[in-house]
Amino acid sequence: MPAPVIPPPITSRSCGVAASLLSDARTKGEVRVSIAPAGRIARPSTWFTWHEYLIRPGTRVLDFACGEGRHGLAAAARGASVVAVDRDGAALETGRELAETHGLTIDWRVVDLEGPWPALGTFDAVLMFNYLDRARMPQVLELVAPGGVLLMETYLVTQRQLGWGPSRDDHLLAPGELARLVAPLRVMHGREVLEPVDVERWRAVASIVAEQCAREPLPER
């Protein structure tokens, strides 16, 4: 397997609180593996870890299509107020048990993501990892409050060549597609990368942090 090729970050002029925090970020090079023994919280994605400085006590966070909620749990551990939604009730129950074991509070909600969504409100940070629904991306973007951010990461079409993971076109991103899907949010940082998951597996993913800029006030008449 060739060494991973990491393209330069996708950047653009940013605005708001998240943009000012980005300038203070430290680069973290360690690879995080999201496999954990029973009772231990799985490590979040490297992409989340790099940008966890955006999550602070009181930050309103939505972990969308959360599964067992490893990213919501990581956000709650940083003091965030977290809502975690998924259609898999069994996975949510596992997450709930993990939260109780570690003294974390999360609002777990069973939501049919392919049906009508209940009113969820808006959030300072929306986390969406390993999930893709192109048709409903505009609704996802509406969940990000002005000045808030979307942290999103999912598989690229290259993943098919690696012999595991999703294989359908509906679940795989084309190169350069993610930045288009999050428009008109302002891209703060992004990547398309081949990286190791463990000693035997690699994954091909696109990742992005994008901000919902606050609307300019209307001029006084």
Side-chain angles (χ1 to χ4, degrees), residues 70-133:
R70 63 189 176 114
H71 294 99
L73 290 162
R78 293 183 62 80
S81 174
V82 179
V83 174
V85 302
D86 199 277
R87 64 182 179 182
D88 187 341
L92 292 177
E93 185 58 32
T94 298
R96 185 179 290 109
E97 291 172 358
L98 284 169
E100 291 177 356
T101 297
H102 293 274
L104 301 174
T105 300
I106 293 179
D107 181 0
W108 304 92
R109 303 185 191 179
V110 177
V111 175
D112 179 3
L113 302 180
E114 296 181 0
W117 298 349
L120 296 170
T122 59
F123 298 84
D124 303 316
V126 174
L127 315 177
M128 191 160 72
F129 287 79
N130 301 334
Y131 182 82
L132 179 63
D133 185 344

